[in-house]
């Protein structure tokens, strides 16, 4: 009776051991396969492109001084009319030009009057030009001597008076630049895979960085440099 019970128990134990061993081997192989599938390389691809600005914003500022306030307003009107005529002669229309209100300062109302002060009132006027005719704006800036001959001194190229150039057609270049950034990333990944004795597999994940637009250099702000970086993770295979 005891012998007949021992043999089936022994057989059952051997069967369980074999099953556990097989399961262990399977799990080990599965773990190795999963580990191999997680071999990846993450690379970045850069794309840059230079484009011409398509919008120019030019603040044209001039000043006038007087001791008589009504006469000061007359002077401002005369100078403003000359600037407006000058811009229209250069090919700009009314929709591109806006005349701001004059900023007038009464120096005697400041609580301290300089005895050597020659003029009581000083005024600043800004005429803003917002135009898509960028080349025409650049050429017009070179013609400012015409206004100087009319007795109108336009402010220099400091921060307040500088012309701002914009590029607003980013959607036109986005697709090609994203493609180029991705191609550059793949070239880097291919080189890494080759050097490590592997082959490049499928893309695991990819992300596109922000597009940035900046001046190409300080001397030509009308030329913009667009830049984007894509980050791509590839699987590696043997």
């Amino acid at each position: 009776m005891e012998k007949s019970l021992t043999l089936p128990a022994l057989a059952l134990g051997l069967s369980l051991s074999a099953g556990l061993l097989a399961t262990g081997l399977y799990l080990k192989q599965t773990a190795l396969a999963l580990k191999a599938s997680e071999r990846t390389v993450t690379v970045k691809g850069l794309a840059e492109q230079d484009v011409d600005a398509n919008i120019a914003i030019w603040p044209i500022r001039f000043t006038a001084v007087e001791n008589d306030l009504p006469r000061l307003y007359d002077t401002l009107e005369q100078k403003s009319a000359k600037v407006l005529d000058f811009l229209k002669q250069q090919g700009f229309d009314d929709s591109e030009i806006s005349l701001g209100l004059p900023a007038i300062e009464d120096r005697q109302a400041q609580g301290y009057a300089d005895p050597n002060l020659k003029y009581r009132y000083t005024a600043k006027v800004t005429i803003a030009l917002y135009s898509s005719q960028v080349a025409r704006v650049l050429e017009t800036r070179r013609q400012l001597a015409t206004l100087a001959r009319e007795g109108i001194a336009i402010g220099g190229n400091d921060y307040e008076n500088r012309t701002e150039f914009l590029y607003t057609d980013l959607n036109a270049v986005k697709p090609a630049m994203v493609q180029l950034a991705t191609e550059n990333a793949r070239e880097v990944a291919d080189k890494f895979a080759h050097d490590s004795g592997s082959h490049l597999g499928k893309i695991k994940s990819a992300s596109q960085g922000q597009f940035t637009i900046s001046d190409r250099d300080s001397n030509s702000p009308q030329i913009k440099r667009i830049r984007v970086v894509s980050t791509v993770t590839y699987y590696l295979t043997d």
Side-chain angles (χ1 to χ4, degrees):
M1 176 71 69
E2 184 177 350
K3 183 177 180 181
S4 61
L5 291 174
T6 302
L7 288 175
L10 180 60
L12 179 60
L14 291 174
S15 177
L16 288 174
S17 297
L20 291 173
L21 179 60
T23 301
L25 291 173
Y26 173 77
L27 292 175
K28 181 179 180 181
Q29 291 174 351
T30 302
L32 290 174
L34 289 173
K35 185 176 180 181
S37 68
E38 289 301 315
R39 290 174 55 208
T40 60
V41 57
T42 300
V43 293
K44 295 183 182 295
L46 169 66
E48 290 183 323
Q49 182 175 341
D50 290 345
V51 296
D52 292 328
N54 62 341
I55 294 292
I57 305 173
W58 182 17
I60 305 170
R61 292 187 173 93
F62 60 89
T63 61
V65 292
E66 276 288 354
N67 283 316
D68 181 73
L69 192 57
R71 192 159 55 241
L72 176 64
Y73 273 99
D74 290 340
T75 300
L76 293 177
E77 288 183 358
Q78 294 170 9
K79 288 188 174 185
S80 296
K82 289 179 180 179
V83 173
L84 294 173
D85 288 342
F86 168 75
L87 292 175
K88 291 177 181 179
Q89 289 173 8
Q90 299 299 318
F92 301 103
D93 57 42
D94 291 334
S95 64
E96 299 173 287
I97 305 168
S98 60
L99 175 61
L101 294 174
I104 299 176
E105 178 184 359
D106 183 353
R107 297 178 179 178
Q108 290 186 5
Q110 295 179 354
Y112 169 76
D114 186 344
N116 299 318
L117 194 64
K118 186 175 181 179
Y119 297 103
R120 175 177 177 178
Y121 300 104
T122 178
K124 295 181 180 180
V125 175
T126 300
I127 297 177
L129 181 66
Y130 185 100
S131 176
S132 60
Q133 303 182 77
V134 176
R136 192 181 296 275
V137 170
L138 292 171
E139 178 59 30
T140 301
R141 292 170 68 201
R142 291 190 281 266
Q143 305 297 326
L144 287 180
T146 302
L147 291 174
R149 297 188 190 100
E150 296 288 336
I152 304 173
I154 302 300
N157 199 33
D158 55 17
Y159 183 79
E160 288 186 350
N161 300 312
R162 70 185 182 91
T163 305
E164 184 178 3
F165 296 94
L166 307 175
Y167 181 74
T168 62
D169 199 17
L170 184 58
N171 287 335
V173 299
K174 268 186 176 181
M177 291 192 66
V178 170
Q179 179 180 348
L180 179 59
T182 304
E183 290 173 353
N184 289 341
R186 185 173 183 87
E187 288 181 6
V188 176
D190 273 329
K191 180 67 166 57
F192 179 89
H194 179 269
D195 292 345
S196 62
S198 303
H199 296 88
L200 205 61
K202 296 181 179 180
I203 293 177
K204 179 183 179 182
S205 63
S207 62
Q208 174 193 307
Q210 289 187 341
F211 280 82
T212 60
I213 303 176
S214 58
D215 296 345
R216 186 190 64 178
D217 57 75
S218 59
N219 295 318
S220 51
Q222 74 277 11
I223 302 176
K224 300 299 181 181
R225 174 156 295 174
I226 305 175
R227 188 176 189 271
V228 66
V229 176
S230 293
T231 303
V232 186
T233 299
Y234 291 92
Y235 287 110
L236 294 176
T237 61
D238 294 331

